[in-house]
Amino acid sequence: MQHPRSSASELAQYLECSRDDIAAALEALSDMQAVVRIDTGAVVRWDAHAPEALSEAESRRRQVETARMHAAAARLGETFRSVRRTERGDGTVAPMYEAREVIAEFEDLQRAARTRVRMIDRGPYLCDGERAERLFELRAARISAGVRYQTLYHDTIYQDADRLRFALSANSAGAQARTLPDPPMKVIIADGERAALMLHHDERRGDPMGLRISASPTLDLVVHTFEVLWSLAAPISVNPGQPLDERDRAILTLMGLGATDDTIARRLGMSRRTVVRRTASLLERLGASTRFQAGVQAIRRGWL
């Protein structure tokens, strides 16, 4: 830039380098569009491109390379997953050894699900920040596409503002969410046909971090375990510790003792219709289908 429209010989003199080295450097810079060749006939001269033009050219080049990389990664990813679904992928249960492989499988199962996703979402979490936000967005997009979500959270979600906010937002969009004090595994099930189970989060151990499970007795066991845990879990709540009034607490206590609606009405001096209405409301709040389940959930929430 300090010596515009110079020949290779002049630049060699300015920079105290050999002419061959200067010529090679100029050709390389020309390929990068950093300099332009000016052929005036007798002498070939060189001039620098404006830095802004060089920056724009480099930016375009990198964008093209990035697009190629993403396209190649997408093709390789599909090949990777299709191989794992065949017998060459070690049959119906295949190990996953890397965190990125586990994350990719959790994402792929959600994208592939047609009607239903069942998930136990608990720590350890393999990603946070922007990657976690993208996973939230993927789940929201699949819910919007009509995929039914049932998510069972560790009850520590009430101390995680971001996850609680997303869970409540997903519920308002039609998803279902419940909590348990200590769900025993982290798993995702797509349409009851495929699943991914996370075992631990330490790649340094060398053993599988997770399992990829296709149609098999193992998958049937995972699905059945989820359904049992779901039946025992409490619906997620904006105010999980919201107390009952004295009448509802008395109704729950008598229900737990096996009292009928008529007995509860007589004991509490209420009409049978009022007892039936309040019992139905309690069952709904607790996400219970039986009186026994309602008692379990009430004790778990600290209502009794």
Side-chain angles (χ1 to χ4, degrees):
M1 288 187 290
Q2 294 178 345
H3 305 286
R5 295 180 176 270
S6 299
S7 66
S9 298
E10 290 169 342
L11 290 171
Q13 182 178 358
Y14 295 144
L15 300 175
E16 298 180 352
C17 296
S18 71
R19 190 182 184 286
D20 290 341
D21 289 342
I22 291 296
L26 288 169
E27 291 296 336
L29 290 170
S30 178
D31 292 339
M32 296 170 57
Q33 301 182 24
V35 298
V36 59
R37 177 189 177 105
I38 305 172
D39 195 343
T40 60
V43 179
V44 175
R45 296 189 175 277
W46 298 86
D47 202 356
H49 272 302
E52 294 85 354
L54 175 61
S55 175
E56 292 174 3
E58 179 63 14
S59 177
R60 287 193 297 271
R61 184 186 67 80
R62 293 189 179 187
Q63 288 175 0
V64 170
E65 289 184 354
T66 300
R68 288 175 181 165
M69 180 185 68
H70 285 313
R75 291 193 298 270
L76 288 172
E78 183 55 35
T79 300
F80 175 86
R81 288 184 285 274
S82 65
V83 168
R84 292 306 190 277
R85 296 172 196 146
T86 66
E87 292 183 357
R88 287 184 296 165
D90 293 332
T92 55
V93 179
M96 296 181 286
Y97 289 91
E98 298 181 352
R100 59 184 178 182
E101 187 179 0
V102 176
I103 295 171
E105 186 67 11
F106 271 60
E107 292 179 354
D108 184 60
L109 286 174
Q110 293 184 72
R111 291 192 179 97
R114 301 182 302 278
T115 60
R116 186 181 185 189
V117 170
R118 284 169 282 193
M119 180 186 302
I120 299 179
D121 188 355
R122 58 157 299 161
Y125 298 108
L126 294 179
C127 55
D128 53 19
E130 292 184 3
R131 186 63 182 268
E133 191 67 27
R134 285 198 297 271
L135 288 175
F136 289 159
E137 292 171 358
L138 170 61
R139 204 180 308 180
R142 300 303 293 147
I143 293 170
S144 298
V147 177
R148 178 189 174 199
Y149 268 73
Q150 290 176 275
T151 306
L152 183 58
Y153 292 94
H154 193 293
D155 60 10
T156 54
I157 190 174
Y158 292 117
Q159 284 79 55
D160 188 329
D162 289 337
R163 290 183 182 278
L164 179 60
R165 172 179 53 82
F166 175 79
L168 295 173
S169 175
N171 272 18
S172 66
Q176 293 178 292
R178 297 186 179 185
T179 64
L180 269 180
D182 191 20
M185 59 184 175
K186 183 183 183 79
V187 69
I188 180 171
I189 307 165
D191 296 326
E193 299 173 357
R194 295 167 51 202
L197 175 67
M198 183 172 165
L199 302 175
H200 64 84
H201 68 295
D202 188 357
E203 287 184 316
R204 295 170 298 180
R205 284 173 46 169
D207 52 349
M209 291 183 65
L211 298 174
R212 183 184 292 106
I213 307 169
S214 55
S216 63
T218 303
L219 179 60
D220 295 340
L221 177 62
V222 171
V223 171
H224 180 69
T225 301
F226 177 91
E227 294 299 338
V228 171
L229 294 173
W230 183 261
S231 70
L232 297 174
I236 201 165
S237 170
V238 178
N239 299 303
Q242 184 179 17
L244 298 177
D245 63 30
E246 290 303 321
R247 284 198 168 189
D248 282 341
R249 185 177 292 108
I251 289 173
L252 274 173
T253 301
L254 291 171
M255 282 170 53
L257 295 174
T260 65
D261 291 336
D262 290 329
T263 301
I264 294 172
R266 287 195 302 271
R267 292 281 299 273
L268 300 180
M270 302 166 61
S271 70
R272 186 179 187 280
R273 178 179 296 180
T274 299
V275 171
V276 170
R277 176 175 54 80
R278 297 186 76 138
T279 299
S281 176
L282 286 169
L283 290 173
E284 182 179 358
R285 287 178 65 185
L286 291 164
S289 57
T290 68
R291 293 176 177 231
F292 173 76
Q293 286 182 353
V296 171
Q297 299 299 353
I299 292 171
R300 180 168 291 145
R301 290 188 179 204
W303 287 1
L304 292 179

Short mmCIF file of all heavy atoms in Angstrom, two decimals, residues 57-84:
data_model
loop_
_atom_site.label_atom_id
_atom_site.label_comp_id
_atom_site.label_asym_id
_atom_site.label_seq_id
_atom_site.Cartn_x
_atom_site.Cartn_y
_atom_site.Cartn_z
N ALA A 57 -14.26 -9.71 0.53
CA ALA A 57 -13.97 -10.92 -0.23
C ALA A 57 -13.68 -12.09 0.70
O ALA A 57 -14.14 -13.22 0.48
CB ALA A 57 -12.79 -10.68 -1.18
N GLU A 58 -12.90 -11.83 1.75
CA GLU A 58 -12.57 -12.90 2.71
C GLU A 58 -13.82 -13.36 3.45
O GLU A 58 -14.02 -14.55 3.71
CB GLU A 58 -11.52 -12.39 3.68
CG GLU A 58 -11.11 -13.40 4.75
CD GLU A 58 -10.45 -14.65 4.19
OE1 GLU A 58 -10.06 -14.64 2.99
OE2 GLU A 58 -10.31 -15.63 4.95
N SER A 59 -14.69 -12.39 3.78
CA SER A 59 -15.93 -12.75 4.47
C SER A 59 -16.80 -13.64 3.59
O SER A 59 -17.36 -14.64 4.06
CB SER A 59 -16.69 -11.48 4.85
OG SER A 59 -17.92 -11.80 5.45
N ARG A 60 -16.90 -13.30 2.30
CA ARG A 60 -17.70 -14.13 1.38
C ARG A 60 -17.10 -15.52 1.24
O ARG A 60 -17.81 -16.52 1.21
CB ARG A 60 -17.79 -13.45 0.01
CG ARG A 60 -18.70 -12.23 -0.01
CD ARG A 60 -19.00 -11.82 -1.45
NE ARG A 60 -17.79 -11.41 -2.15
CZ ARG A 60 -17.32 -10.16 -2.16
NH1 ARG A 60 -17.96 -9.21 -1.48
NH2 ARG A 60 -16.24 -9.86 -2.83
N ARG A 61 -15.76 -15.58 1.18
CA ARG A 61 -15.10 -16.87 1.04
C ARG A 61 -15.38 -17.75 2.25
O ARG A 61 -15.68 -18.95 2.12
CB ARG A 61 -13.59 -16.67 0.87
CG ARG A 61 -12.81 -17.97 0.63
CD ARG A 61 -11.32 -17.72 0.63
NE ARG A 61 -10.84 -17.33 1.95
CZ ARG A 61 -10.60 -18.21 2.93
NH1 ARG A 61 -10.82 -19.50 2.74
NH2 ARG A 61 -10.16 -17.79 4.10
N ARG A 62 -15.31 -17.16 3.43
CA ARG A 62 -15.55 -17.93 4.65
C ARG A 62 -17.01 -18.37 4.75
O ARG A 62 -17.29 -19.47 5.24
CB ARG A 62 -15.17 -17.11 5.88
CG ARG A 62 -13.66 -16.86 5.98
CD ARG A 62 -13.28 -16.24 7.30
NE ARG A 62 -11.84 -16.03 7.40
CZ ARG A 62 -11.22 -15.62 8.50
NH1 ARG A 62 -11.93 -15.35 9.58
NH2 ARG A 62 -9.91 -15.45 8.51
N GLN A 63 -17.93 -17.53 4.30
CA GLN A 63 -19.33 -17.91 4.31
C GLN A 63 -19.58 -19.11 3.42
O GLN A 63 -20.33 -20.03 3.78
CB GLN A 63 -20.20 -16.74 3.87
CG GLN A 63 -20.30 -15.62 4.90
CD GLN A 63 -21.07 -14.42 4.37
OE1 GLN A 63 -21.53 -14.41 3.23
NE2 GLN A 63 -21.18 -13.38 5.19
N VAL A 64 -18.94 -19.10 2.25
CA VAL A 64 -19.08 -20.24 1.33
C VAL A 64 -18.50 -21.50 1.96
O VAL A 64 -19.12 -22.58 1.91
CB VAL A 64 -18.38 -19.93 -0.01
CG1 VAL A 64 -18.31 -21.20 -0.89
CG2 VAL A 64 -19.11 -18.83 -0.75
N GLU A 65 -17.32 -21.39 2.59
CA GLU A 65 -16.71 -22.56 3.23
C GLU A 65 -17.57 -23.07 4.39
O GLU A 65 -17.72 -24.29 4.57
CB GLU A 65 -15.30 -22.20 3.74
CG GLU A 65 -14.29 -22.00 2.62
CD GLU A 65 -12.90 -21.73 3.16
OE1 GLU A 65 -12.77 -21.59 4.40
OE2 GLU A 65 -11.96 -21.67 2.36
N THR A 66 -18.13 -22.14 5.17
CA THR A 66 -18.99 -22.54 6.30
C THR A 66 -20.23 -23.27 5.80
O THR A 66 -20.64 -24.29 6.36
CB THR A 66 -19.39 -21.32 7.13
OG1 THR A 66 -18.21 -20.69 7.64
CG2 THR A 66 -20.29 -21.72 8.29
N ALA A 67 -20.83 -22.75 4.72
CA ALA A 67 -22.02 -23.41 4.16
C ALA A 67 -21.68 -24.81 3.67
O ALA A 67 -22.45 -25.76 3.88
CB ALA A 67 -22.58 -22.56 3.02
N ARG A 68 -20.53 -24.94 3.03
CA ARG A 68 -20.11 -26.27 2.57
C ARG A 68 -19.89 -27.22 3.74
O ARG A 68 -20.26 -28.40 3.69
CB ARG A 68 -18.81 -26.15 1.76
CG ARG A 68 -18.98 -25.52 0.38
CD ARG A 68 -17.63 -25.33 -0.28
NE ARG A 68 -17.75 -24.71 -1.59
CZ ARG A 68 -16.73 -24.18 -2.26
NH1 ARG A 68 -15.52 -24.20 -1.71
NH2 ARG A 68 -16.92 -23.64 -3.44
N MET A 69 -19.28 -26.69 4.81
CA MET A 69 -19.02 -27.51 5.98
C MET A 69 -20.32 -28.01 6.61
O MET A 69 -20.47 -29.18 6.95
CB MET A 69 -18.22 -26.72 7.01
CG MET A 69 -17.90 -27.50 8.29
SD MET A 69 -17.09 -26.46 9.53
CE MET A 69 -18.45 -25.36 9.95
N HIS A 70 -21.31 -27.10 6.74
CA HIS A 70 -22.60 -27.49 7.33
C HIS A 70 -23.31 -28.53 6.46
O HIS A 70 -23.91 -29.47 6.97
CB HIS A 70 -23.48 -26.26 7.52
CG HIS A 70 -23.07 -25.39 8.67
ND1 HIS A 70 -22.78 -25.90 9.92
CD2 HIS A 70 -22.90 -24.05 8.77
CE1 HIS A 70 -22.46 -24.90 10.74
NE2 HIS A 70 -22.52 -23.77 10.06
N ALA A 71 -23.24 -28.34 5.14
CA ALA A 71 -23.89 -29.29 4.24
C ALA A 71 -23.23 -30.66 4.34
O ALA A 71 -23.91 -31.69 4.38
CB ALA A 71 -23.84 -28.77 2.80
N ALA A 72 -21.90 -30.65 4.40
CA ALA A 72 -21.18 -31.93 4.52
C ALA A 72 -21.48 -32.59 5.86
O ALA A 72 -21.68 -33.81 5.93
CB ALA A 72 -19.67 -31.69 4.37
N ALA A 73 -21.54 -31.79 6.94
CA ALA A 73 -21.84 -32.34 8.25
C ALA A 73 -23.24 -32.94 8.30
O ALA A 73 -23.47 -33.99 8.91
CB ALA A 73 -21.71 -31.25 9.32
N ALA A 74 -24.20 -32.29 7.62
CA ALA A 74 -25.56 -32.81 7.59
C ALA A 74 -25.62 -34.15 6.87
O ALA A 74 -26.28 -35.10 7.31
CB ALA A 74 -26.49 -31.81 6.91
N ARG A 75 -24.88 -34.25 5.74
CA ARG A 75 -24.85 -35.52 5.00
C ARG A 75 -24.19 -36.61 5.82
O ARG A 75 -24.69 -37.75 5.88
CB ARG A 75 -24.12 -35.33 3.67
CG ARG A 75 -24.87 -34.46 2.67
CD ARG A 75 -24.27 -34.57 1.28
NE ARG A 75 -22.90 -34.10 1.24
CZ ARG A 75 -22.55 -32.83 0.99
NH1 ARG A 75 -23.49 -31.92 0.76
NH2 ARG A 75 -21.29 -32.46 0.96
N LEU A 76 -23.07 -36.28 6.45
CA LEU A 76 -22.38 -37.26 7.28
C LEU A 76 -23.23 -37.67 8.48
O LEU A 76 -23.24 -38.83 8.88
CB LEU A 76 -21.04 -36.69 7.76
CG LEU A 76 -19.95 -36.57 6.69
CD1 LEU A 76 -18.76 -35.80 7.25
CD2 LEU A 76 -19.51 -37.94 6.21
N GLY A 77 -23.94 -36.68 9.06
CA GLY A 77 -24.78 -36.99 10.22
C GLY A 77 -25.89 -37.97 9.87
O GLY A 77 -26.18 -38.89 10.64
N GLU A 78 -26.50 -37.78 8.71
CA GLU A 78 -27.56 -38.69 8.31
C GLU A 78 -27.01 -40.09 8.05
O GLU A 78 -27.61 -41.09 8.44
CB GLU A 78 -28.25 -38.16 7.05
CG GLU A 78 -29.42 -39.01 6.60
CD GLU A 78 -30.46 -39.22 7.68
OE1 GLU A 78 -30.69 -38.30 8.49
OE2 GLU A 78 -31.03 -40.33 7.74
N THR A 79 -25.82 -40.14 7.42
CA THR A 79 -25.18 -41.45 7.21
C THR A 79 -24.86 -42.11 8.53
O THR A 79 -25.10 -43.30 8.75
CB THR A 79 -23.89 -41.28 6.39
OG1 THR A 79 -24.21 -40.70 5.13
CG2 THR A 79 -23.21 -42.63 6.17
N PHE A 80 -24.32 -41.30 9.46
CA PHE A 80 -23.97 -41.81 10.79
C PHE A 80 -25.17 -42.43 11.48
O PHE A 80 -25.12 -43.54 11.99
CB PHE A 80 -23.41 -40.64 11.61
CG PHE A 80 -23.10 -40.98 13.04
CD1 PHE A 80 -21.89 -41.53 13.40
CD2 PHE A 80 -24.04 -40.73 14.03
CE1 PHE A 80 -21.60 -41.82 14.72
CE2 PHE A 80 -23.77 -41.02 15.35
CZ PHE A 80 -22.54 -41.57 15.69
N ARG A 81 -26.29 -41.68 11.48
CA ARG A 81 -27.47 -42.17 12.18
C ARG A 81 -28.11 -43.36 11.47
O ARG A 81 -28.62 -44.28 12.12
CB ARG A 81 -28.48 -41.04 12.36
CG ARG A 81 -28.03 -40.02 13.40
CD ARG A 81 -29.07 -38.97 13.64
NE ARG A 81 -29.14 -37.99 12.55
CZ ARG A 81 -28.38 -36.92 12.48
NH1 ARG A 81 -27.48 -36.67 13.40
NH2 ARG A 81 -28.50 -36.08 11.48
N SER A 82 -28.10 -43.36 10.13
CA SER A 82 -28.71 -44.48 9.42
C SER A 82 -27.93 -45.76 9.64
O SER A 82 -28.50 -46.84 9.77
CB SER A 82 -28.80 -44.16 7.92
OG SER A 82 -27.50 -44.05 7.35
N VAL A 83 -26.59 -45.65 9.74
CA VAL A 83 -25.78 -46.83 10.01
C VAL A 83 -26.08 -47.37 11.40
O VAL A 83 -26.19 -48.57 11.63
CB VAL A 83 -24.28 -46.49 9.88
CG1 VAL A 83 -23.42 -47.63 10.45
CG2 VAL A 83 -23.92 -46.27 8.42
N ARG A 84 -26.26 -46.44 12.38
CA ARG A 84 -26.54 -46.89 13.75
C ARG A 84 -27.89 -47.58 13.88
O ARG A 84 -28.13 -48.30 14.82
CB ARG A 84 -26.50 -45.69 14.71
CG ARG A 84 -25.11 -45.08 14.89
CD ARG A 84 -24.10 -46.13 15.30
NE ARG A 84 -22.84 -45.57 15.70
CZ ARG A 84 -21.87 -45.21 14.88
NH1 ARG A 84 -22.04 -45.35 13.60
NH2 ARG A 84 -20.74 -44.71 15.35
#
